[in-house]
Structures are given as structure tokens and as C-alpha cells.
Amino acid sequence: MIDKETAYTIYTTLIESSYFNSEIDRKFLKYLIDASVNHRTLKEIDIAMEFFGRTDVSPFSSLDSIVRSHMYSLRKKLQTYYLTEGKEDKKKLVLPKGQYKVECVATQNQVPSKKIKKNAYAVFAAVLLLFIALSIYYFQKSYSLEKQVHGNQYNHHENPIWSDFIESSLPTLLVIGDYYVLQQPLETNERERFIRDVEINSKEDSESFLWGDHPQENGNYRNPFDVFGDGSSLCGFDPG
């Protein structure tokens, strides 16, 4: 269906553009609009006789290409106009392929604008919901970790082994790994130092050092198993 008033309003706009300065194009478009608004179904032979004034045609004769070429030219000019001067028009005239009529349709740049606006709102809402969900998740995660930290705090006052290390203001040496560290007093016998011998890495190395190769050092160092009794890697000095 084509609205008569809308079709002629669009036609007036078209003929004022630079793409329809040809008299034949204006008249041909007007002829097709008149036929469409009056619900006439045109055929090629009708256009050839009525508009182009051909008298030597009949349903059984082969028509020349004058009708098809003018339809093609008119269709291309309409398409070009709506890509340039008429790109902001809300409605446009189109010539469907294979038919000799005019249709009035909404331009594509008007319909998607509403969809784009709706899609923008939907995307914004989705992003907002995702942000809220992530905020809640990380807040709960942080709160849970904080509770775990507070719940797992170690009360060193109840542990007689580590309390001396934690509460003491003296320097503490913590050795991580399977190392033997030798403890040796200073000359004042009031302070001591720890020595790491790279050649002493086991009980056998320690016994070989203390009892075999360097028996003179036997009084200065103790086998770690003698001090701790559990195979610890820390060697202690026994001043007595």
C-alpha cells in the first residue's frame, strides 16, 4: 500500500534535488506514482504505449529495452539520492525490482535508531548488574577472608616454644632448609655466632668433621642430634 499524500510529498522533495533535474525522469516517476496510488498494475507494454508513445508494439511482439532501461536508471537515482541528499529523510520511495510500481517505506536509518537506543539501555543495565554482582562477590570474599584471618590468629602466649622467640627483642636466626648450622661462642663466652660450613651437610659429615678430620674442634661444636634429638638442622654449642 502507498499513501497518496505521503507519496506526492516525497515526490515534491525529490524533484527539487539535483538528482532529478531531467524532465523525463520527473515525468516517469510521476507516472509510476499516479498508477500506484490508483492501484493500477502496470505492464511493460502499457508503459511503452502510454508513457513512451510506442504504437508498434503488441503482446506478441518483442519490446525494445526503453522501459527497462528507464526503470533501471530511475531506481539507481533514487538509491543514490537516499545515500546522499536524502539520507536523513524519514520515508522514501522505492521501485521494487521486477515490478512497475512505487512503494513508500521508512528509511533504514530511522528504524534502527530506536533499536540502538533500546540496546544501549539493555547493555547499560547488564553492565550495571554485573558491576553490582561483582562488588557483592568481592565484598563477601574480603569479609570471609578477614574473618578467617582473625579466626586463625595465633596466640603465641599459649605456646611455650615460640613465645620466647616472638616476645624477645634479641635478633633471631631462622634457617629454612636442610642445612647444618654450627654454633660457636665468642671469646667473652657471653655471645655466640652461627657458622654455615658448606662441607657439613649431614650427620655423617658432622661426625667426620668433629671426630675424624678436626678432633681439636670436638669441644667447640656439638652434633645436632645430641642437642635436639630429632634430626634438626641446627647445631648448638654446649659451653659446659
Side-chain angles (χ1 to χ4, degrees):
M1 296 291 293
I2 181 172
D3 180 72
K4 182 176 181 179
E5 182 177 354
T6 302
Y8 286 120
T9 300
I10 297 174
Y11 172 75
T12 302
T13 303
L14 287 172
I15 62 176
E16 292 176 353
S17 71
S18 59
Y19 291 93
F20 290 88
N21 51 13
S22 170
E23 188 68 22
I24 186 66
D25 288 336
R26 295 179 179 182
K27 290 183 178 180
F28 190 33
L29 181 58
K30 177 69 165 47
Y31 170 78
L32 295 174
I33 293 174
D34 291 340
S36 296
V37 297
N38 290 298
H39 310 293
R40 286 188 59 198
T41 301
L42 294 175
K43 296 181 179 180
E44 186 176 347
I45 189 174
D46 299 326
I47 300 173
M49 296 177 64
E50 294 176 4
F51 184 79
F52 291 103
R54 295 298 177 89
T55 58
D56 56 342
V57 295
S58 69
F60 306 102
S61 65
S62 60
L63 301 174
D64 55 32
S65 61
I66 186 172
V67 176
R68 289 188 294 273
S69 64
H70 275 77
M71 283 293 296
Y72 177 83
S73 175
L74 193 60
R75 186 179 293 114
K76 287 299 180 182
K77 288 184 178 181
L78 284 172
Q79 292 175 351
T80 304
Y81 167 79
Y82 287 116
L83 289 174
T84 53
E85 294 182 23
K87 61 182 179 180
E88 300 297 331
D89 293 359
K90 295 182 178 181
K91 291 186 178 181
K92 65 179 180 179
L93 297 181
V94 295
L95 302 176
K97 290 184 178 181
Q99 302 180 56
Y100 300 104
K101 67 176 184 178
V102 178
E103 292 181 352
C104 181
V105 298
T107 53
Q108 293 182 355
N109 62 333
Q110 297 298 324
V111 177
S113 61
K114 297 181 180 179
K115 294 183 179 180
I116 292 173
K117 196 172 288 187
K118 290 181 180 179
N119 291 337
Y121 288 134
V123 171
F124 175 77
V127 171
L128 181 61
L129 290 175
L130 179 62
F131 175 77
I132 294 174
L134 289 175
S135 299
I136 294 174
Y137 170 78
Y138 284 111
F139 174 79
Q140 292 179 341
K141 193 74 173 177
S142 176
Y143 180 72
S144 176
L145 290 175
E146 186 176 356
K147 287 183 65 178
Q148 291 180 19
V149 170
H150 288 297
N152 294 332
Q153 282 185 344
Y154 183 73
N155 188 359
H156 57 80
H157 297 287
E158 300 177 358
N159 193 310
I161 298 177
W162 291 103
S163 59
D164 290 339
F165 288 97
I166 296 174
E167 295 176 354
S168 176
S169 60
L170 298 175
T172 301
L173 174 65
L174 180 63
V175 180
I176 306 297
D178 298 330
Y179 298 124
Y180 276 82
V181 180
L182 307 179
Q183 188 176 8
Q184 184 182 53
L186 298 178
E187 294 179 356
T188 60
N189 207 26
E190 295 178 356
R191 298 180 60 187
E192 57 189 17
R193 62 182 175 182
F194 293 90
I195 301 174
R196 163 80 173 115
D197 192 327
V198 296
E199 296 184 359
I200 302 177
N201 298 298
S202 66
K203 177 183 177 182
E204 291 76 13
D205 293 342
S206 176
E207 291 178 348
S208 176
F209 175 80
L210 295 175
W211 299 96
D213 300 334
H214 304 279
Q216 70 277 8
E217 301 290 346
N218 190 33
N220 296 328
Y221 301 99
R222 291 285 303 274
N223 189 299
F225 294 94
D226 296 335
V227 177
F228 297 99
D230 60 354
S232 172
S233 61
L234 180 62
C235 293
F237 173 75
D238 185 1

